């Protein structure tokens, strides 16, 4: 069903996909969904294997009459292989978006957004908004979808419309995220400030404001906000990761940066992102062998993680081990902007 692209982690993904097929064959649809989901989320399948897993999971969702989730998987499968005959046959059995009533279209849009099927979500949410132009729920979900695409101008337009209908701190937060995406950090921070006036215990808003400060290279304010987020919501992996990253980038409290990254890996021991972040912390501490080791662990889990390859290249270059220049070139071929973040903080190869 699939071939391996990333070592041991991939072998697990292939095994999960095969077990999912076995569960599907014995009509254990919930078990099949769980197994295919684990295989898909591991990013350890080949492209063909990923496409097949989406179709098979859609089959399980269809059997459970969860048509919106099935449609999301079929959309994702056909983004890989547009002519898959099984996907086309199955899609014909799902009520078309254009026939849905307003409530059903809004629900489908939110479901597809949640599954990462942004084009499908927009089609459904456009239908919902055509039927009810001032539906704050549909406008908000469409704003989130535009934010994810990312199309910040359209996201701002939808969040502005929601604020005219039903102002909430959550909409202010997301509008702040759209401003941040556009690079307007001052406006983003203003929206986060207003959101916190409405809800001073919203950990996620402190986290988002911290990210805006980090992008401004205001490391002190960023760390303060990440501290506040963690006081309100201790042990949240994303918050610890962000604090590790900003401390490492700014060379502030590198011992604490490393402690934060260690804690993220206690929470999620198989996270490529967290190994990547710890590799950078080790690099900034001058611990190049440890940086290379953690970058290798990140790449073992996600072979296409350009930032881990870039950090490994930096550490190899500084230590004189390996072929740092080749790693950096390969990372740049994957993502031409991979070095921008590090250069912003004065790290160049």
């Amino acid at each position: 069903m699939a071939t391996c692209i990333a070592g041991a982690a991939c072998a697990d993904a292939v095994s999960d996909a095969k077990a999912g097929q076995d569960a599907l064959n014995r009509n254990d649809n919930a078990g099949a969904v769980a197994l295919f989901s684990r295989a898909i989320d591991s990013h350890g399948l080949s492209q063909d294997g990923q496409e097949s897993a989406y179709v098979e999971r859609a089959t399980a969702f269809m059997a459970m009459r969860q048509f919106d989730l099935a449609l999301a998987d079929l959309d994702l499968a056909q983004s890989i292989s547009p002519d898959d005959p099984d996907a086309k046959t199955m899609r014909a059995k799902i009520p078309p978006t254009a026939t849905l009533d307003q409530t059903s279209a809004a629900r489908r849009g939110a479901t597809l957004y949640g599954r990462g099927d942004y084009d499908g979500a927009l089609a459904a949410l456009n239908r919902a908004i055509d039927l009810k132009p001032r539906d704050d729920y549909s406008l908000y979900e469409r704003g989130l979808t535009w934010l994810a695409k990312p199309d910040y101008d359209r996201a701002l337009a939808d969040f502005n419309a929601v604020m005219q209908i039903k102002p909430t701190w959550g909409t202010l937060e997301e509008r702040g995220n759209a401003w941040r995406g556009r690079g307007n950090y001052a406006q983003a921070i203003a929206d986060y400030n207003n959101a916190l006036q409405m809800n001073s215990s919203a950990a996620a808003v402190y986290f988002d404001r911290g990210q805006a400060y980090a992008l401004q290279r205001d490391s002190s304010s960023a760390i303060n906000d990440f501290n506040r987020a963690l006081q309100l919501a201790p042990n949240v992996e994303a918050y610890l990761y962000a604090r590790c990253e900003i401390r490492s980038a700014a060379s502030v409290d590198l011992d604490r940066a490393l402690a934060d990254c260690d804690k993220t890996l206690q929470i999620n021991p198989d996270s490529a992102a967290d190994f990547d972040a710890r590799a950078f912390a080790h690099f900034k501490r001058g611990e190049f062998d440890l940086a290379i080791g953690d970058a290798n662990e990140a790449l073992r889990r996600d072979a296409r993680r350009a930032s881990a390859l870039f950090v490994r290249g930096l550490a190899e270059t500084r230590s004189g081990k390996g072929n740092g220049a080749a790693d950096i070139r390969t990372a740049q071929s994957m993502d031409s902007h991979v070095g921008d973040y590090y250069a912003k903080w004065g790290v160049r190869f």
Side-chain angles (χ1 to χ4, degrees):
M1 180 176 192
T3 57
C4 200
I5 60 172
C10 176
D12 293 339
V14 172
S15 297
D16 282 339
K18 290 179 178 177
Q21 185 63 62
D22 291 340
L24 196 60
N25 291 339
R26 62 175 183 269
N27 296 320
D28 177 9
N29 296 304
V33 165
L35 287 160
F36 284 125
S37 296
R38 193 164 67 184
I40 289 166
D41 294 343
S42 74
H43 305 291
L45 297 174
S46 68
Q47 188 175 66
D48 288 344
Q50 192 88 341
E51 190 267 344
S52 178
Y54 281 132
V55 173
E56 298 298 345
R57 190 172 66 177
T59 303
F61 280 133
M62 287 287 287
M64 298 163 70
R65 300 190 66 77
Q66 295 182 12
F67 297 123
D68 293 343
L69 291 172
L71 181 61
D73 276 351
L74 295 175
D75 282 349
L76 293 170
Q78 290 186 286
S79 70
I80 299 170
S81 179
D83 296 323
D84 185 299
D86 292 334
K88 288 183 175 181
T89 299
M90 208 178 308
R91 179 185 291 276
K93 300 176 183 178
I94 298 174
T97 294
T99 67
L100 297 180
D101 61 31
Q102 198 277 335
T103 301
S104 298
R107 183 173 61 245
R108 175 170 290 181
T111 298
L112 299 187
Y113 162 74
R115 304 297 287 199
D117 177 7
Y118 303 133
D119 290 338
L122 287 172
L125 292 166
N126 288 342
R127 165 77 176 169
I129 292 165
D130 285 344
L131 294 171
K132 188 178 179 183
R134 287 180 58 80
D135 179 37
D136 59 285
Y137 175 80
S138 298
L139 286 163
Y140 178 79
E141 291 294 323
R142 192 173 69 177
L144 292 178
T145 308
W146 286 126
L147 196 56
K149 288 260 318 158
D151 186 327
Y152 300 119
D153 288 343
R154 285 174 169 162
L156 284 167
D158 278 343
F159 292 136
N160 286 338
V162 175
M163 288 298 295
Q164 293 174 5
I165 300 166
K166 187 179 179 181
T168 66
W169 67 268
T171 304
L172 280 167
E173 178 191 11
E174 297 299 350
R175 192 173 71 178
N177 291 340
W179 284 120
R180 192 179 78 219
R182 284 188 63 183
N184 191 330
Y185 306 130
Q187 188 62 56
I189 289 167
D191 270 353
Y192 298 140
N193 290 342
N194 289 331
L196 288 167
Q197 286 182 0
M198 298 174 73
N199 183 359
S200 62
S201 61
V205 181
Y206 286 105
F207 171 65
D208 287 332
R209 190 174 69 179
Q211 293 188 88
Y213 282 129
L215 288 165
Q216 289 185 316
R217 293 190 61 191
D218 183 350
S219 58
S220 177
S221 295
I223 291 168
N224 286 339
D225 270 351
F226 296 147
N227 288 343
R228 182 61 176 145
L230 283 159
Q231 288 168 1
L232 290 164
N235 299 323
V236 174
E237 181 185 0
Y239 302 171
L240 289 162
Y241 170 92
R243 194 169 66 179
C244 172
E245 281 277 278
I246 188 65
R247 282 174 166 163
S248 298
S251 296
V252 174
D253 294 328
L254 288 174
D255 287 346
R256 290 184 178 179
L258 187 60
D260 280 342
C261 277
D262 285 343
K263 198 164 188 179
T264 64
L265 284 162
Q266 291 172 9
I267 296 168
N268 187 358
D270 204 39
S271 168
D274 293 341
F275 274 110
D276 189 359
R278 195 171 70 176
F280 187 51
H282 280 306
F283 171 80
K284 290 302 292 282
R285 287 162 59 91
E287 298 164 348
F288 301 128
D289 286 348
L290 292 173
I292 292 168
D294 273 347
N296 287 339
E297 289 298 317
L299 290 164
R300 188 169 70 84
R301 289 159 174 79
D302 182 359
R304 298 289 300 172
R305 190 167 183 85
S307 55
L309 196 58
F310 192 85
V311 169
R312 188 175 75 180
L314 291 173
E316 288 169 338
T317 300
R318 299 291 172 86
S319 68
K321 297 180 179 179
N323 192 340
D327 273 351
I328 287 169
R329 285 195 300 271
T330 302
Q332 290 172 327
S333 72
M334 294 177 180
D335 177 0
S336 61
H337 298 289
V338 66
D340 292 356
Y341 173 79
Y342 306 102
K344 184 176 182 178
W345 293 94
V347 178
R348 292 177 173 84
F349 61 93

